[in-house]
Amino acid sequence: MRRSIACITATALAASALTAAAGPASADLAQGSVVSANPVNNTPHVLDGTVRAVAVVGGLVVVGGNFEEVREAGSGKPTLKRHNLFAYDMSTGKVSTAFVPKVDGTVHALQAGTSGWVYLAGTFTNVNGAKTGTVASLNTTTNKLHTGFKPNVNYRVTTMVRRGSRLYIGGTFTQAGGKARTAVARVDALTGAADAGFNFSVTTPRSGALKVYKLAVDPADTKLVINGTFTKVNGQSRPQIAVINTGAGAASLSTWATTEYADACNLGAFDTYMRGMDFSPDGKYFVVVTTGGPYGTSTLCDSAARWESSATGSGKKPTWVNWTGGDTLLSTSITGAAVYVGGHQRWLDNPQGHDSAGPGAVSRPGLGALNPATGKALSWNPTRTLGHGVEALVADPKGLLVGSDTDQLGHEYHGRVGMFPLG
């Protein structure tokens, strides 16, 4: 009996720490200035695969993706085996030897808990030899799995946001938290149980499988934006993007709707051309970035677009749009001082470009920063090796973290992980 009580108490304490009250998530942090274009030199190098997600947990940077080898910065450092997930000290760049999880599939999303806990989601089904499904939580200090957290998601999760005790997930699943939930769900961050007040019919994919590709939640947890292959939510037309009201009580579908993402945009190549999204730190607007092809200003393919959070009703139009002229944008992070965008773009301010630099285009290979009010490119231009592109951008009080599949930031080797410090 004593052993049982002790186990229950330990589990309860761990769970409590997992969701204890905390400040805003790192992606919601306001910054007073644009970060330096010169990245720090102590970030470790991921030697293979792709970095797809980054989260800051205390003094650690947790890095997820699909990779097997990591090496600390500097000459003569040994190659370390890390299975799709590792952590390093933000100040020193030293790779953690206490946090050595074994994850048997790609990590697509990470979210910080508290007291050293981190949530991970992706295509894996086992963590540290235990069956978890595609969402799990680990302690970065002890490397232990939180066994009381059981969301039991049955298939791929590509996107995740935590707000206090509520964890939002999106992907191609049909079960989450013990309930039928298709493509999007909200589960209890303590237990993993599905929220009875959050259940939406996401249907009618424009192409391929039904999925929510990305989601974003405002800092106050009053609005959720989802994008993906769907064209209807709760029977209402919502081509590839929808807004959900998430405040107190049961969640509801917002009347906000736009047809701006209803265009084909190279339908044969992309089941959805929607990519990253983020809310501003004050929650007043959100930005959506896309892939799709060089179709000029007639569509929102290969663009970044700002949308106002307070808007309701149909026929919504973006406040501004910045086109790349034919190159993909994958990720975005808004700090108030800037809207950072990453991908494998060659240019920004390029509405007339067709895989070429049109009138007014500015060179911003792989990374760029936009003026939040006008959408025009700022002078920040760190440059980077072109490749598949920047998958993750995460703002932190110390700067901007970058995760990608290519090795160069500026003119230096950075092994798929980078950090641009605040001045």
Side-chain angles (χ1 to χ4, degrees):
M1 178 62 73
R2 289 180 179 177
R3 180 176 296 177
S4 298
I5 292 172
C7 290
I8 292 169
T9 301
T11 300
L13 288 172
S16 177
L18 189 66
T19 57
S26 59
D28 310 315
L29 290 171
Q31 295 177 347
S33 62
V34 177
V35 297
S36 170
N38 183 29
V40 300
N41 294 320
N42 68 351
T43 51
H45 307 319
V46 176
L47 304 179
D48 60 345
T50 301
V51 171
R52 300 183 181 276
V54 179
V56 180
V57 181
L60 291 177
V61 178
V62 183
V63 180
N66 54 295
F67 50 78
E68 292 293 324
E69 294 184 339
V70 177
R71 187 175 62 226
E72 292 177 3
S75 60
K77 297 298 178 69
T79 297
L80 305 173
K81 293 293 183 182
R82 293 294 187 273
H83 303 286
N84 304 314
L85 189 66
F86 77 101
Y88 71 91
D89 186 283
M90 180 179 286
S91 298
T92 66
K94 183 174 177 57
V95 174
S96 172
T97 56
F99 185 65
V100 191
K102 292 185 178 181
V103 183
D104 70 347
T106 300
V107 175
H108 283 282
L110 292 167
Q111 285 286 288
T114 55
S115 302
W117 291 93
V118 65
Y119 295 92
L120 54 150
T123 61
F124 58 85
T125 56
N126 294 274
V127 177
N128 289 348
K131 186 172 179 60
T132 60
T134 55
V135 180
S137 184
L138 284 166
N139 190 287
T140 57
T141 301
T142 65
N143 197 46
K144 289 184 177 180
L145 186 70
H146 179 57
T147 56
F149 175 66
K150 297 179 179 180
N152 297 323
V153 184
N154 69 337
Y155 201 58
R156 181 193 304 260
V157 174
T158 56
T159 181
M160 175 173 58
V161 172
R162 181 181 77 91
R163 288 290 180 263
S165 63
R166 308 202 290 195
L167 189 69
Y168 296 87
I169 57 174
T172 55
F173 52 85
T174 58
Q175 297 283 329
K179 300 292 184 181
R181 295 289 187 270
T182 299
V184 64
R186 185 169 71 191
V187 302
D188 188 287
L190 186 74
T191 65
D195 188 331
F198 187 99
N199 189 10
F200 292 86
S201 171
V202 180
T203 63
T204 321
R206 67 192 286 270
S207 179
L210 180 66
K211 69 180 174 185
V212 167
Y213 185 74
K214 289 291 182 183
L215 58 79
V217 185
D218 70 339
D221 194 4
T222 63
K223 291 187 183 297
L224 162 72
V225 184
I226 59 174
N227 73 37
T229 61
F230 59 87
T231 58
K232 290 185 177 181
V233 178
N234 286 1
Q236 302 297 309
S237 177
R238 296 292 189 273
Q240 296 198 99
I241 189 167
V243 175
I244 292 170
N245 298 316
T246 61
S252 62
L253 180 66
S254 170
T255 61
W256 185 96
T258 182
T259 58
E260 294 296 303
Y261 295 109
D263 298 293
C265 278
N266 203 358
L267 182 60
F270 304 104
D271 57 358
T272 178
Y273 54 88
M274 310 299 283
R275 293 297 183 260
M277 302 189 296
D278 194 27
F279 274 93
S280 61
D282 60 11
K284 291 183 177 180
Y285 66 93
F286 59 93
V287 170
V288 181
V289 299
T290 63
T291 184
Y295 296 95
T297 59
S298 63
T299 74
L300 295 186
C301 312
D302 289 332
S303 73
R306 170 174 166 160
W307 303 86
E308 303 308 310
S309 302
S310 60
T312 56
S314 61
K316 296 299 105 178
K317 302 288 185 181
T319 304
W320 52 250
V321 183
N322 193 307
W323 284 273
T324 67
D327 292 329
T328 297
L329 294 175
L330 292 167
S331 53
T332 183
S333 181
I334 306 173
T335 65
V339 176
Y340 296 98
V341 293
H344 59 72
Q345 79 278 7
R346 289 163 285 181
W347 309 281
L348 293 172
D349 295 352
N350 195 23
Q352 302 304 320
H354 293 270
D355 283 324
S356 61
V362 295
S363 176
R364 295 293 186 270
L367 283 167
L370 308 179
N371 183 306
T374 67
K376 293 294 186 181
L378 299 175
S379 61
W380 187 74
N381 186 21
T383 74
R384 64 184 299 281
T385 303
L386 290 174
H388 179 65
V390 172
E391 294 272 358
L393 289 171
V394 175
D396 177 80
K398 294 183 179 180
L400 181 73
L401 290 151
V402 177
S404 72
D405 76 334
T406 49
D407 299 333
Q408 188 168 303
L409 291 173
H411 300 289
E412 301 175 9
Y413 178 77
H414 278 265
R416 299 170 172 84
V417 185
M419 169 73 170
F420 294 95
L422 281 167

